[in-house]
Amino acid sequence: MSLLYVLIAVLILLLLMVVLKINAFISLIVVALIAGVMQGMSPLEAITSIKSGMGSTLGSLALVLGFGAMLGKLMENSGAAQTIAMTLIAKFGRKHVQWAAVMTGFIVGIALFYETGFVILIPLVFTIAKAAKLPVLYIGMPVAAALITAHGFVPPHPGPTAIAQIFNANLGLTLLYGIVIAIPSVIISGVYYPRLFKKESLETNIPKELFSAKEFDDDELPSFGISLFTALIPVLLMGLHAGFEIFAPESSLMPFLAFIGEPSIALLVAVIVAIFTFGLMQKFSMKELMNSIASSVSSIAMILLIIGAGGAFKQVLVDSGVADYVSEIVKDMSFSPLLLAWLIAALLRLALGSATVAGMTAAGIMVPVLAGAGVNAELLVLAIGAGSMTFSHVNDAGFWIYKEYFNLSVGKTIKTWSMMTLISSLIGLGGVMLLNMFV
């Protein structure tokens, strides 16, 4: 009956979030309690398990998410994102402007949360489209595809980072594999898919009330080299550690690289550097910088709670014995665990809307697969990440952000945004299955 109880718990979660529109954090905690009691735990045991899950999940993630938000705010306030975008556009030229848009979205998307990156870059999309005399969505779709794909595949974004922590996966390897899988996903969904439309069908009226972001003068902007280097510091440090782990694991540098390549330390280094490169060097006072950093944390408060609640739900499933039950089933299953993980995450994404909640819930259900099937932990993280991006629609905040900023109808948003996320998800799944043949 364990899986039946899990199904009932998930259906209750859908009822609370989709029908009753109750906040995801509250819904997950309530459902975690219900699931624990249904599985035979006492209410006190259930709440103890919830506290344990919250603590273990947030213990390692609070620093990563906090420093990530700080770095994003410093990029926003300094105009560094604008520098990266405009330089790439100038280098690529009008003919290849989509490639510049993809690179901009991916570079900025590594450092910023999806929503933050979208709001920062969309005014630039409007500016570039107008200057290049191209349809807005012809430029906007590549940027959106890059941002959402980085959000699903690339640590230190909340979803892949939290799921990697649940599976005890190597974050450096997850980052490397994630980038390898994300590149074809972004190219196909963000560059080639928009080209299937007639260009005039990608045109839209720019909503003037939303096109109000600050435009920086050239003398106010940090240089391209400094902007790019600072934004990529976390990736460079984590990638360096992962590279040594793979190719020189016995190196005497490993203890130091393990320290600076640890995600929270890598982001802390980037924030400290950004205080100088995006702050003091741009004539911001230390007081202004600290106020920006303090305000940045408020933007991630709810996502921290949702991730923690997802970890609590996962812990209840583990502590109540569901994990062992699922492990017994999965152990003899011929169905690919990676495909199963993608499917569970995809179904939850379709039902719940939130990629983070879908990923965390799927991870909780799939915890025993690692022991039961010997599947690669990093690829399992990415399979869930791919599934959690599937077909964003009307129950997803990202759907409405895209729709309103581009001033689209619901139907046109589904044709462009929803289908684009589905394509990226499927290409991501294909990449995971292909990598699974070699790692």
Side-chain angles (χ1 to χ4, degrees), residues 28-192:
L28 279 164
I29 295 298
V30 169
V31 168
L33 279 168
I34 292 172
V37 172
M38 283 195 302
Q39 295 287 352
M41 301 174 77
S42 70
L44 187 58
E45 288 173 333
I47 194 63
T48 300
S49 183
I50 287 171
K51 290 178 180 179
S52 172
M54 284 280 293
S56 63
T57 301
L58 294 182
S60 62
L61 289 180
L63 291 174
V64 171
L65 300 185
F67 289 139
M70 293 174 193
L71 178 60
K73 192 67 173 179
L74 292 170
M75 284 186 67
E76 176 185 354
N77 289 348
S78 67
Q82 179 176 321
T83 295
I84 293 170
M86 298 310 293
T87 303
L88 289 175
I89 297 303
K91 295 292 184 184
F92 279 77
R94 182 181 181 277
K95 184 177 180 181
H96 304 294
V97 72
Q98 277 190 317
W99 295 101
V102 160
M103 287 187 65
T104 301
F106 198 70
I107 290 169
V108 173
I110 289 173
L112 301 182
F113 296 127
Y114 168 75
E115 291 84 359
T116 306
F118 191 95
V119 171
I120 290 171
L121 291 182
I122 287 309
L124 295 178
V125 169
F126 296 153
T127 303
I128 293 163
K130 189 174 181 180
K133 297 181 180 179
L134 289 167
V136 172
L137 289 179
Y138 190 77
I139 308 299
M141 287 177 69
V143 170
L147 287 170
I148 193 62
T149 303
H151 184 81
F153 286 134
V154 183
H157 276 280
T161 304
I163 297 167
Q165 193 266 340
I166 289 174
F167 292 144
N168 199 27
N170 182 295
L171 265 181
L173 289 176
T174 303
L175 171 65
L176 290 179
Y177 296 160
I179 290 175
V180 168
I181 292 170
I183 289 172
S185 298
V186 170
I187 290 173
I188 294 171
S189 66
V191 176
Y192 289 109

Side-chain angles (χ1 to χ4, degrees), residues 197-249:
F197 294 87
K198 293 180 180 179
K199 280 194 175 180
E200 56 267 24
S201 70
L202 295 178
E203 193 53 86
T204 181
N205 295 320
I206 297 174
K208 291 182 174 58
E209 68 276 10
L210 295 177
F211 191 18
S212 58
K214 177 181 177 181
E215 293 184 13
F216 294 86
D217 296 329
D218 289 345
D219 59 355
E220 294 179 303
L221 296 170
S223 70
F224 174 72
I226 287 176
S227 300
L228 186 64
F229 171 73
T230 307
L232 292 180
I233 283 175
V235 178
L236 293 173
L237 294 179
M238 291 170 65
L240 183 64
H241 174 225
F244 268 75
E245 271 194 320
I246 295 170
F247 299 110

